[in-house]
Amino acid sequence: PAATAAAAANLIAAAGGAASEATRAAGAPLAPTRLQRSGEACMHGVASNDSEEYPVAETVQVGPCGEEVVLGLIAAVERMAAISTPERKMSRFHSKRLPGLSVASYMKRLRQFFYCSMEAYVLCIIYIDRLAQRHKDAIAVSPLSAHRLLACSLTLAAKFHDDVFYSNAYYAKVAGLTLEEFNALEKEMLQLLDCRLFVAPREFELYRGVLVSAASATVATPCAAAPSSVAGAQAVAA
């Protein structure tokens, strides 16, 4: 739909800035083995009727996801944080002080230890963008919130899309957060998203293109290297 394309175009124009929420497009699930299990996505008892909102009406060709979507995600979130306005309201996703790791270094750490699919990184930016648009007055991507939003959103994406994922205890350790805080962040993000984690193929492909475009416009280093110790990410929990 035109509104979906416009949303993606706005996101590209801001190199990952908060775009209008993409209009839900009809289409088959990207990975039926995971995406059709809407009940598993609602891990905290929030009902979902995604199957009604996304009827199977067409087949959309989705391009490949490579390392460029990770680099694009880094560029997009860095840009969103850079153009953010001063914090007016602190949310659960905000750190009390500026994290010790940059967004790029933190994202490289998640890339190294989350072991999730490349598709999960595309879902990650979609979830973050949905949050930013649905809760503009409460949630903003900023230098104080970007790290927690990335860790939590990527976790939900991995759980929803991938056939293999890990425990919250593991994800929390990688993210540099306590298990209690990580569980609370996950629950709040699900509630703010109304437990709607489904992404139609057309919307997925548009955002994948956004990340690829952001990556091609950015001179970035490979994501293989990252802080190898958990202590390297502990500043995020402050």
Side-chain angles (χ1 to χ4, degrees):
T4 309
N10 289 338
L11 195 58
I12 294 173
S20 300
E21 179 188 354
T23 301
R24 297 184 180 90
L30 295 171
T33 55
R34 294 293 302 172
L35 291 183
Q36 287 181 337
R37 302 172 192 173
S38 58
E40 185 168 345
C42 301
M43 292 169 284
H44 299 282
V46 182
S48 173
N49 63 347
D50 283 337
S51 60
E52 298 177 4
E53 290 195 26
Y54 300 97
V56 177
E58 62 178 330
T59 300
V60 176
Q61 184 65 37
V62 175
C65 294
E67 200 70 34
E68 66 276 3
V69 300
V70 183
L71 299 177
L73 178 59
I74 293 173
V77 173
E78 283 183 329
R79 178 59 177 164
M80 293 170 80
I83 65 176
S84 63
T85 57
E87 310 292 344
R88 292 179 297 175
K89 182 178 180 181
M90 301 293 282
S91 71
R92 188 185 292 273
F93 295 97
H94 285 76
S95 300
K96 295 179 181 178
R97 56 180 178 272
L98 194 67
L101 288 178
S102 67
V103 168
S105 295
Y106 188 66
M107 191 66 244
K108 290 174 184 178
R109 175 180 174 78
L110 301 186
R111 171 74 182 96
Q112 184 174 359
F113 294 108
F114 263 42
Y115 306 112
C116 58
S117 66
M118 289 297 181
E119 288 77 11
Y121 294 93
V122 181
L123 297 179
C124 177
I125 192 64
I126 294 175
Y127 296 160
I128 290 175
D129 195 42
R130 286 179 179 179
L131 278 178
Q133 293 306 312
R134 294 184 181 188
H135 307 279
K136 295 180 180 179
D137 296 330
I139 304 294
V141 180
S142 73
L144 294 178
S145 66
H147 298 69
R148 283 180 167 89
L149 288 171
L150 278 170
C152 191
S153 181
L154 190 58
T155 297
L156 290 182
K159 287 184 177 183
F160 192 61
H161 178 271
D162 297 353
D163 288 317
V164 177
F165 54 87
Y166 300 89
S167 68
N168 274 16
Y170 176 79
Y171 287 132
K173 186 175 183 180
V174 173
L177 299 164
T178 66
L179 177 58
E180 181 180 9
E181 183 173 17
F182 194 81
N183 286 341
L185 289 174
E186 181 185 52
K187 181 178 181 179
E188 181 160 344
M189 181 171 284
L190 276 170
Q191 292 174 338
L192 291 172
L193 290 172
D194 293 328
C195 210
R196 300 183 187 280
L197 303 184
F198 181 91
V199 175
R202 186 177 299 279
E203 183 181 5
F204 180 93
E205 178 59 15
L206 283 170
Y207 276 88
R208 187 193 69 83
V210 167
L211 296 187
V212 172
S213 296
S216 64
T218 304
V219 177
T221 57
C223 290
S228 58
S229 66
V230 172
Q234 288 298 326
V236 180

